Amino acid sequence: QVRLVESGGGLVQAGGSLRLSCAASGSIFRINAMGWYRQAPGKQRELVATITSGGNTNYADSVKGRFTISRDNAKNTVYLQMNSLKPEDTAVYYCNADLYTYVGGRQDYWGQGTQVTVSS
């Protein structure tokens, strides 16, 4: 069994910062890419940022220059530093991991989501 547990969401004023964390635990053999996605009310879930096991990153155009994704492979944890937040960043943020388990092979896992609300 694998779990992804997110933390760090909350309410912040426009221009402020938040840092999200997501820790993966369980019967994990190896984690490939990890990433953050978000879903605003009435909209589809969209990619925010991803990072490979080697540290290569990819960002949505809407967050480039404001958000930074990083990971600690020893802790199976991925982070999202969000600066210069805008009201349009308001969404539920989901952590994702593409990983191998000892028993189930390669699978895609999601966290439960954490709410980020940016007030104007």
Side-chain angles (χ1 to χ4, degrees):
Q1 186 73 12
V2 173
R3 292 182 66 204
L4 300 183
V5 179
E6 299 124 333
S7 60
L11 173 64
V12 65
Q13 288 188 333
S17 298
L18 284 174
R19 188 187 193 219
L20 305 183
S21 300
C22 172
S25 62
S27 184
I28 298 170
F29 174 66
R30 185 178 76 228
I31 301 178
N32 298 322
M34 300 185 80
W36 291 94
Y37 293 73
R38 67 187 181 187
Q39 188 167 17
K43 295 188 176 181
Q44 290 189 330
R45 189 173 297 187
E46 64 177 5
L47 179 146
V48 176
T50 60
I51 184 168
T52 67
S53 58
N56 293 318
T57 59
N58 179 53
Y59 295 92
D61 288 342
S62 59
V63 306
K64 283 181 181 176
R66 300 188 298 121
F67 291 9
T68 302
I69 190 170
S70 61
R71 64 189 280 176
D72 184 333
N73 291 330
K75 295 181 179 180
N76 288 341
T77 299
V78 63
Y79 306 95
L80 185 68
Q81 178 66 45
M82 304 185 293
N83 299 327
S84 302
L85 283 160
K86 304 175 181 180
E88 51 263 44
D89 294 318
T90 296
V92 177
Y93 283 70
Y94 296 92
C95 173
N96 173 268
D98 169 21
L99 57 84
Y100 288 90
T101 65
Y102 285 103
V103 295
R106 183 176 184 176
Q107 296 187 51
D108 207 42
Y109 288 87
W110 292 90
Q112 80 285 357
T114 185
Q115 177 70 46
V116 171
T117 303
V118 184
S119 63
S120 57

Short mmCIF file of all heavy atoms in Angstrom, two decimals, residues 10 12 21 30-31 66 98 108:
data_model
loop_
_atom_site.label_atom_id
_atom_site.label_comp_id
_atom_site.label_asym_id
_atom_site.label_seq_id
_atom_site.Cartn_x
_atom_site.Cartn_y
_atom_site.Cartn_z
N GLY A 10 -3.56 26.44 2.40
CA GLY A 10 -4.17 27.41 3.29
C GLY A 10 -4.66 28.63 2.57
O GLY A 10 -4.80 28.63 1.34
N VAL A 12 -4.12 32.67 1.79
CA VAL A 12 -3.07 33.67 1.71
C VAL A 12 -3.55 34.84 0.86
O VAL A 12 -4.38 34.65 -0.04
CB VAL A 12 -1.77 33.06 1.15
CG1 VAL A 12 -1.95 32.62 -0.29
CG2 VAL A 12 -0.59 34.01 1.29
N SER A 21 4.01 20.46 0.61
CA SER A 21 4.84 19.26 0.72
C SER A 21 4.00 18.03 0.46
O SER A 21 2.79 18.02 0.72
CB SER A 21 5.45 19.14 2.12
OG SER A 21 6.25 20.24 2.44
N ARG A 30 10.91 2.33 -6.16
CA ARG A 30 11.55 3.47 -6.80
C ARG A 30 10.49 4.46 -7.28
O ARG A 30 9.46 4.06 -7.79
CB ARG A 30 12.40 3.04 -7.99
CG ARG A 30 13.21 4.18 -8.62
CD ARG A 30 14.07 3.70 -9.77
NE ARG A 30 13.30 3.44 -10.97
CZ ARG A 30 13.43 2.33 -11.69
NH1 ARG A 30 14.26 1.38 -11.31
NH2 ARG A 30 12.72 2.17 -12.77
N ILE A 31 10.79 5.75 -7.11
CA ILE A 31 9.89 6.78 -7.61
C ILE A 31 10.49 7.41 -8.86
O ILE A 31 11.64 7.85 -8.84
CB ILE A 31 9.61 7.86 -6.55
CG1 ILE A 31 8.98 7.24 -5.30
CG2 ILE A 31 8.69 8.93 -7.12
CD1 ILE A 31 8.73 8.23 -4.18
N ARG A 66 7.26 31.90 -10.89
CA ARG A 66 6.64 32.13 -9.58
C ARG A 66 6.69 30.90 -8.69
O ARG A 66 6.83 31.01 -7.47
CB ARG A 66 5.17 32.55 -9.76
CG ARG A 66 4.97 33.80 -10.56
CD ARG A 66 3.52 34.27 -10.53
NE ARG A 66 2.61 33.30 -11.12
CZ ARG A 66 1.58 32.74 -10.47
NH1 ARG A 66 1.34 33.05 -9.21
NH2 ARG A 66 0.79 31.89 -11.09
N ASP A 98 4.70 8.80 -9.99
CA ASP A 98 4.82 7.66 -10.90
C ASP A 98 5.90 6.77 -10.30
O ASP A 98 7.07 7.17 -10.28
CB ASP A 98 5.22 8.16 -12.29
CG ASP A 98 5.62 7.04 -13.23
OD1 ASP A 98 5.24 5.88 -12.99
OD2 ASP A 98 6.35 7.33 -14.21
N ASP A 108 0.59 4.70 -10.88
CA ASP A 108 0.43 6.13 -10.71
C ASP A 108 -0.42 6.37 -9.45
O ASP A 108 -1.49 5.78 -9.31
CB ASP A 108 -0.30 6.68 -11.93
CG ASP A 108 0.04 8.13 -12.20
OD1 ASP A 108 1.23 8.47 -12.08
OD2 ASP A 108 -0.87 8.90 -12.53
#
